[in-house]
Amino acid sequence: MVEFDRSAFIQKFQEEATEYLQRLNEGVITLEGDPKNRELIEQMLRDAHTLKGSSRMVGLLDISDVAHRLEDIMVKIRDGEMEFDPSMSDAFFEALDAIVFLKDNAGTDVSGQLDVPGLLERLSAVAAGSAAGVDAGQPAAAEPPAEPAAEPVPAKPAVPEPEAASRPEQPVSAEEQAPGQKERASASQGPAEEKLQTRTQQTVRIRTEQVDRLLNLVSEVVIAQIKAEQHARDLRIAQALATDVYQTWRRVRASLSVEAEAVLAGIDDDLRMIDELVNDLRQRMTHMLKEYSDDVSRASTVVADLQEHSMAIRMLPVSTVFNAFPRAVRDLARQFKKDVELVMEGGDTELDKKVLEEINDPLIHIMRNAVDHGIEPVERRRELGKPEKGTIKLAARQEGDHIVIEISDDGAGIDPAAVKAAAIRKGYLTESEAKSMSDREATYLIFEAGFSTSPIITEISGRGVGMDVVREFIVDKLKGSLDVESEPGRGTTFRLTIPLTLAIIRALLVRVSGQVFAIPTSSIEETLRIDPAEVIKVEGREVIRRQRRTIPLVHLRDVLGLEASEDAEAGKLPVVTIGFSGHRMGFLVDAFVGEQQIVIKTLGSHLKHVDNVAGVTILGAGEVVPILNVPDLMANARRMTGRAGGRTAVKREKDQGPRRVLICEDSFTTRELERSIFEAAGYVVETATDGAAGLAKLREGLKVDAVVTDVQMPNMTGFELTRAIKGDETLKEIPVIIVTSLEREEEKAEGIEAGADAYITKSVFNQDTLLDTVERLIR
Amino acid sequence: MEERKAMPSADGLGLDEQVRRILRERAESLAQADWVEEVAETRRLLLFRLGEETYAVGVEDVREIVSGFAVTRIPCVPSHVLGVINVRGEIVSVIDLAAVLNAQQGAARAPGGDDGSGIIVRSDDVTGMLVVDEIGDIIEVPAASVEPPLSSLDRAHAETVSGTVYWEGRLIAVVNLARILQPVGERA
């Protein structure tokens, strides 16, 4: 399985690891002067061991492997099998730097930048006592001598270990080599030679942090440039004024009659002076405008280049992400017992590294859906006369300043009727609404929050946290859009359009409560000025009619929790209509300020996430303007207008206090892990060490909103517990979520048969999956 | 070897004497290093006033001091966050320290207000600006004299203070930046 979201744990690990790495680094230096410091050796051993363990926990297997090698070396030093030798320091530092690098880039594929297998071999050589391992001249070091270590270290894993095979960070390089080839290459040339080769490459490795800092400064320059352009425009206006004054003056002067001249004779000198001054002013202004405009336009070319080139620093080909997909799709196909081939195109299309980092998960999600729902089983395809092997095509290309990524499958397509039926069942639509809905509109229902056509929730699909989350993510984080086209029986195409870079977008600036806010133009359908008389009140809600559709209206200031301001424009009301996930909403603002390109900045290191606010931008005058987060706005606005699906959940929290969950789990670690996850999310947690104990608690009258249970437990299994709960009149309404290491289809079937509401396997277990599932079920 | 022999004679010193001199110098430098270390065991604190009270923050955590700043309000943030400012292109949160410390100095600052002075501080990777009423001196106190917060403080208050120190007859609380700069909206 490709890991999906361990980010929360990874962050913890990163914090923890920083400390250990720092200590290990210091330790190496101290050991150089004091190679027999027993206490230090033991501490370093412990640190390396902890690093190994915790990196494995969060799925950073490369780090785990490197730490493992360090541990091996430390064990030998401790046991007196070898002595720390300053010549080992280089290998140690290389290893520690590599861990730092891997840690900082956790979750992204860095195999193009870091040669982990080579490093592991060098470390193994050190562990084997071969000082030559760090000597760059001897290819012989590639063959580590027989391993006396307790845990043999595979120097050339011709057959990758299962974990190694499942990690997403597969070796990726320009020539797209198979892992086997790479091994062979290193075996014949030796790691030392490989190291030399990378040294001669004409590249410099820069920390992304440094690049970001550079980009930060560049964006400041861009802002200054925008400001300068504004000044040039102001100057042009001033120059036009000066010209007007001059011309008016000339006319006045010319029309002065002879008699008037006589009257004005007394101030003749002054008049001549004005004449000169006005002329001079006009000429100077014209000259200055020309000079300044030239300067600005010259600078603007340079700044544009500077921006483009500095952005290019972060550009990477999409293949760095794509190359892990054939493997992922193959795994998925096997899991669903389908036969699927992945065809990829446009792998060399380049994308901002930040976008690239974010794009992996949504793409995996879409492909998962394609394998699960799209591609039919082999027998079915045969019956339909389709090729037995299904095809998923992943194509990337650049269109203007956007990148378009299409994921198409030749599967069953989305059946509008089935989608409508499910939507009616879930209460998103009424029968009559469904009837008047076009097939195309129905297709878009899959982006509805919590939508699913599947009867049981598994971690793969049917959880209803699929496409809505993906779409929200793409709109929110990547400022792009996600569209779907489907032809029943022929297949489905998802089209992802994302800006080339996350740094600059077009935005509409609006004023609300005396403050300016930016709304990304990509989500705006239209801007209107409506007559107050056009506002219709329906059931206490304000709506407007547009093109035969009813659009709910909401004050943006209410969504943002701002006080009303007095300076709101009288007369026509400015409204921004936003379309998102098939909904339209009109936001009333106080005034439109303008539309322009803005540079996106985060809210800084302190405000990690703020509801409704995606970031800020700095306008020409140095003014900081918050950029609004469209998915948040829509969700909150819908809640306010009383149409949101989440409404009941919110109410429930208020009415009934914290939600309760019962965890039945015999493993202490898992139980405590689950407990901490739920408690962090504000739940009250009850626990039981097996199914029988759990059931007893429930029968004694313990009120919970959900039961989370393991399968294999003493006394009563999770399946038995589920059956007991579902067979009990007073308990059967409680949702049961099975969390298990059993992954076989038959077991899942047993879970469904027992009446479980959700089924999550531990191999892909993470807190978001668990919390999302539970939250969805107890609404 | 020849060169080494030549050196003492050039100095006019015998080998023994030279060794002794080197040893003496070493001893002296070692003694000095020890002494320096002892003196280095002090903490430098930046004092500031908040209402009637004087507080302190470790100088090593202070990045810069700002006066006269334009705060941009950000909607939907906790009330102790007054907004953000632009520090040479970097966006920095503005934190109403009085609101965090619950200082008994009356009403918290008006949101978006730009009165007071700002201390830009850094803890781990988080940067923020604390709004205070007045910036004071930098003092140097023995590290050992910074004691844990008074046990009489209530827990919420105690968390925001990392230690206390007596200075010129006053009890000064050293604020706990790790707590005050805890990121907002971070997923646990």
Side-chain angles (χ1 to χ4, degrees):
Chain A
M1 280 307 307
V2 170
E3 61 172 284
F4 198 59
D5 182 5
R6 296 182 198 252
S7 54
F9 290 108
I10 285 180
Q11 207 173 344
K12 285 221 174 75
F13 167 73
Q14 285 171 329
E15 285 165 19
E16 183 196 32
T18 308
E19 212 180 295
Y20 292 125
L21 288 166
Q22 173 71 21
R23 229 160 45 201
L24 283 166
N25 266 311
E26 287 166 6
V28 175
I29 293 168
T30 316
L31 270 191
E32 278 185 355
D34 183 10
K36 297 226 182 284
N37 186 332
R38 195 150 183 87
E39 206 180 297
L40 181 62
I41 290 167
E42 302 231 286
Q43 187 210 309
M44 288 175 70
L45 172 59
R46 277 197 304 276
D47 288 350
H49 179 81
T50 314
L51 263 183
K52 180 184 79 171
S54 46
S55 56
R56 183 158 287 263
M57 286 277 288
V58 295
L60 299 174
L61 300 169
D62 277 341
I63 294 184
S64 178
D65 290 347
V66 176
H68 188 158
R69 300 295 191 279
L70 288 182
E71 194 192 355
D72 286 346
I73 299 171
M74 292 313 300
V75 165
K76 290 193 168 181
I77 294 173
R78 183 196 60 185
D79 296 344
E81 284 183 55
M82 59 197 287
E83 254 185 48
F84 186 88
D85 180 311
S87 70
M88 293 177 185
S89 299
D90 285 345
F92 260 90
F93 286 134
E94 198 197 345
L96 294 173
D97 289 349
I99 294 177
V100 170
F101 185 72
L102 289 165
K103 166 185 78 88
D104 292 341
N105 294 285
T108 57
D109 188 343
V110 294
S111 49
Q113 298 160 60
L114 192 68
D115 176 18
V116 176
L119 172 63
L120 293 179
E121 287 201 15
R122 284 192 288 283
L123 290 172
S124 303
V126 172
S130 152
V134 287
D135 182 351
Q138 296 195 20
E143 304 292 335
E147 277 287 338
E151 282 182 86
V153 180
K156 286 175 284 171
V159 183
E161 340 164 16
E163 297 100 315
S166 64
R167 78 187 74 167
E169 308 97 325
Q170 288 173 38
V172 177
S173 71
E175 66 267 28
E176 211 185 45
Q177 69 211 44
Q181 278 176 326
K182 187 161 188 169
E183 298 308 334
R184 247 180 289 130
S186 52
S188 59
Q189 300 171 359
E193 208 165 303
E194 208 170 71
K195 197 173 168 189
L196 277 180
Q197 274 176 1
T198 51
R199 278 204 185 137
T200 56
Q201 276 176 7
Q202 303 240 326
T203 53
V204 180
R205 192 191 287 164
I206 309 172
R207 288 208 318 276
T208 46
E209 192 186 310
Q210 253 170 316
V211 175
D212 288 347
R213 206 171 299 153
L214 179 71
L215 289 179
N216 203 15
L217 292 173
V218 169
S219 66
E220 280 300 294
V221 174
V222 172
I223 288 163
Q225 181 61 25
I226 294 172
K227 205 167 157 182
E229 280 162 18
Q230 181 65 45
H231 288 163
R233 278 194 292 277
D234 291 349
L235 197 59
R236 191 176 303 278
I237 294 168
Q239 187 263 349
L241 283 175
T243 306
D244 277 359
V245 170
Y246 173 73
Q247 279 164 357
T248 314
W249 171 249
R250 295 305 303 228
R251 277 201 303 279
V252 171
R253 197 72 217 265
S255 63
L256 284 178
S257 57
V258 183
E259 312 85 89
E261 287 269 0
V263 177
L264 293 169
I267 52 164
D268 198 38
D269 281 353
D270 286 344
L271 286 180
R272 203 169 299 124
M273 179 86 92
I274 292 177
D275 205 38
E276 266 171 39
L277 285 175
V278 170
N279 194 22
D280 197 25
L281 176 66
R282 182 189 64 112
Q283 276 173 0
R284 273 170 188 266
M285 287 290 280
T286 309
H287 181 70
M288 200 163 96
L289 174 65
K290 190 183 173 318
E291 290 278 296
Y292 190 63
S293 301
D294 285 356
D295 285 354
V296 168
S297 69
R298 231 186 335 267
S300 124
T301 329
V302 175
V303 169
D305 275 4
L306 178 66
Q307 195 185 358
E308 193 189 318
H309 286 293
S310 51
M311 293 294 177
I313 297 176
R314 276 210 321 215
M315 291 294 199
L316 290 173
V318 291
S319 59
T320 48
V321 166
F322 280 16
N323 283 354
F325 289 164
R327 178 56 191 259
V329 168
R330 209 187 67 194
D331 288 351
L332 284 168
R334 188 174 304 158
Q335 197 173 349
F336 292 106
K337 304 196 170 54
K338 307 257 172 94
D339 198 359
V340 186
E341 186 188 14
L342 179 67
V343 180
M344 298 194 292
E345 278 175 17
D348 51 2
T349 311
E350 290 200 328
L351 213 70
D352 189 303
K353 179 173 180 291
K354 251 193 190 140
V355 184
L356 214 50
E357 282 167 9
E358 306 279 14
I359 211 174
N360 182 60
D361 293 356
L363 287 181
I364 289 276
H365 217 119
I366 293 170
M367 285 189 288
R368 224 172 244 189
N369 262 290
V371 174
D372 189 7
H373 298 305
I375 306 288
E376 309 90 336
V378 176
E379 313 82 66
R380 178 87 185 114
R381 290 184 70 91
R382 207 179 296 139
E383 284 167 28
L384 290 168
K386 286 184 172 182
E388 286 185 11
K389 207 180 189 73
T391 306
I392 295 178
K393 200 171 122 186
L394 182 62
R397 62 175 186 276
Q398 186 171 348
E399 281 184 6
D401 55 358
H402 281 79
I403 294 286
V404 178
I405 299 180
E406 282 183 349
I407 307 102
S408 40
D409 65 62
D410 64 348
I414 298 170
D415 178 5
V419 172
K420 280 184 190 177
I424 294 168
R425 199 167 63 235
K426 297 248 172 175
Y428 290 118
L429 284 182
T430 62
E431 297 266 2
S432 60
E433 276 175 321
K435 278 212 185 80
S436 63
M437 191 174 249
S438 73
D439 284 356
R440 197 176 150 67
E441 276 179 299
T443 312
Y444 273 82
L445 282 172
I446 60 164
F447 294 127
E448 192 67 47
F451 188 83
S452 169
T453 51
S454 188
I456 184 172
I457 298 179
T458 71
E459 73 275 1
I460 307 295
S461 54
R463 305 183 49 251
V465 286
M467 299 316 293
D468 62 318
V469 172
V470 170
R471 193 175 198 219
E472 190 174 310
F473 189 82
I474 287 163
V475 173
D476 175 7
K477 275 264 181 76
L478 305 179
K479 315 284 180 252
S481 64
L482 178 62
D483 293 290
V484 59
E485 255 170 53
S486 179
E487 206 178 326
R490 303 290 291 275
T492 310
T493 299
F494 286 95
R495 187 172 298 106
L496 216 148
T497 311
I498 40 180
L500 213 47
T501 153
L502 287 182
I504 295 177
I505 56 163
R506 281 202 79 75
L508 176 73
L509 301 179
V510 298
R511 189 182 305 280
V512 178
S513 299
Q515 199 180 349
V516 176
F517 292 92
I519 306 173
T521 326
S522 57
S523 317
I524 295 177
E525 288 197 336
E526 49 183 350
T527 54
L528 313 164
R529 284 175 189 278
I530 54 165
D531 201 301
E534 287 177 62
V535 179
I536 313 161
K537 283 215 162 57
V538 183
E539 297 161 28
R541 302 199 307 256
E542 292 186 327
V543 299
I544 48 168
R545 298 283 298 170
R546 267 318 268 181
Q547 292 140 5
R548 305 201 327 276
R549 287 190 62 175
T550 306
I551 305 173
L553 271 189
V554 56
H555 278 278
L556 185 54
R557 64 159 185 270
D558 292 342
V559 179
L560 297 178
L562 301 171
E563 62 279 15
S565 68
E566 301 86 40
D567 62 344
E569 279 176 46
K572 296 236 174 191
L573 307 170
V575 172
V576 183
T577 65
I578 294 179
F580 175 70
S581 276
H583 296 278
R584 289 173 95 198
M585 187 71 74
F587 290 89
L588 280 161
V589 299
D590 294 345
F592 296 132
V593 178
E595 192 190 341
Q596 69 173 76
Q597 296 259 346
I598 57 167
V599 177
I600 302 177
K601 286 173 171 280
T602 65
L603 279 166
S605 49
H606 177 250
L607 299 172
K608 299 274 189 207
H609 180 86
V610 174
D611 200 23
N612 293 324
V613 184
V616 294
T617 187
I618 299 174
L619 295 188
E623 190 186 359
V624 181
V625 167
I627 303 168
L628 299 178
N629 174 329
V630 168
D632 279 3
L633 281 186
M634 290 301 279
N636 291 328
R638 290 182 71 205
R639 195 168 297 145
M640 286 172 56
T641 56
R643 288 184 66 142
R647 178 178 38 151
T648 44
V650 172
K651 224 171 163 183
R652 188 188 184 103
E653 228 167 315
K654 274 187 191 141
D655 292 354
Q656 306 182 350
R659 293 162 294 184
R660 290 172 173 273
V661 58
L662 173 67
I663 296 172
C664 302
E665 168 69 61
D666 57 334
S667 146
F668 175 77
T669 318
T670 311
R671 193 165 66 229
E672 289 310 305
L673 176 68
E674 289 175 3
R675 180 206 285 278
S676 67
I677 289 171
F678 280 107
E679 284 184 347
Y683 284 78
V684 171
V685 177
E686 299 284 343
T687 56
T689 50
D690 61 49
L695 188 62
K697 282 195 173 187
L698 289 173
R699 291 227 161 108
E700 278 160 21
L702 177 69
K703 290 271 174 282
V704 293
D705 295 293
V707 173
V708 175
T709 178
D710 186 20
V711 173
Q712 284 153 327
M713 291 182 291
N715 298 327
M716 182 186 257
T717 70
F719 290 146
E720 286 162 358
L721 173 67
T722 308
R723 265 183 226 112
I725 291 175
K726 293 299 171 184
D728 186 317
E729 271 308 305
T730 56
L731 303 176
K732 68 176 187 193
E733 295 297 323
I734 303 174
V736 178
I737 296 97
I738 294 182
V739 179
T740 173
S741 48
L742 303 176
E743 242 170 304
R744 297 210 310 276
E745 283 296 321
E746 305 86 82
E747 262 109 21
K748 197 195 283 175
E750 191 177 352
I752 297 171
E753 181 265 320
D757 298 271
Y759 191 94
I760 299 172
T761 43
K762 283 177 186 167
S763 61
V764 292
F765 174 78
N766 68 51
Q767 64 179 51
D768 290 341
T769 322
L770 185 60
L771 282 176
D772 283 352
T773 308
V774 171
E775 256 156 38
R776 245 155 242 292
L777 286 169
I778 64 183
R779 268 179 193 169
Chain B
M1 279 312 275
E2 275 172 20
E3 277 169 65
R4 250 194 227 172
K5 258 184 197 165
M7 268 174 47
S9 57
D11 278 12
L13 293 167
L15 196 60
D16 266 6
E17 253 173 298
Q18 206 190 5
V19 167
R20 225 169 285 140
R21 196 194 66 200
I22 290 170
L23 283 176
R24 196 171 53 241
E25 275 171 11
R26 264 197 74 129
E28 258 166 31
S29 82
L30 280 173
Q32 210 153 21
D34 238 24
W35 181 75
V36 167
E37 216 167 281
E38 214 169 60
V39 168
E41 286 292 305
T42 63
R43 273 193 78 182
R44 282 154 60 80
L45 301 171
L46 171 67
L47 302 182
F48 57 88
R49 186 176 62 79
L50 207 55
E52 299 298 308
E53 309 242 14
T54 302
Y55 291 87
V57 59
V59 166
E60 66 279 6
D61 299 325
V62 175
R63 215 182 67 179
E64 59 187 282
I65 289 171
V66 188
S67 59
F69 37 83
V71 180
T72 300
R73 278 187 296 164
I74 301 292
C76 312
V77 290
S79 58
H80 70 271
V81 181
L82 297 174
V84 296
I85 54 164
N86 172 15
V87 184
R88 294 180 300 277
E90 186 188 348
I91 301 297
V92 174
S93 290
V94 181
I95 294 162
D96 184 0
L97 192 59
V100 179
L101 294 173
N102 264 329
Q104 48 281 62
Q105 49 134 30
R109 238 156 269 278
D114 53 2
D115 50 337
S117 301
I119 306 174
I120 297 187
V121 287
R122 202 175 161 84
S123 166
D124 294 326
D125 282 334
V126 182
T127 306
M129 186 179 82
L130 310 177
V131 183
V132 304
D133 290 321
E134 195 186 346
I135 309 278
D137 295 330
I138 291 176
I139 60 167
E140 198 157 334
V141 296
S145 70
V146 181
E147 286 167 12
L150 290 181
S151 54
S152 60
L153 291 174
D154 62 280
R155 221 185 112 207
H157 195 172
E159 272 185 6
T160 58
V161 169
S162 66
T164 52
V165 61
Y166 265 107
W167 186 75
E168 292 190 348
R170 275 183 297 171
L171 189 63
I172 292 166
V174 182
V175 295
N176 178 3
L177 289 179
R179 173 74 187 75
I180 289 161
L181 292 182
Q182 212 165 44
V184 169
E186 194 172 32
R187 294 214 281 170

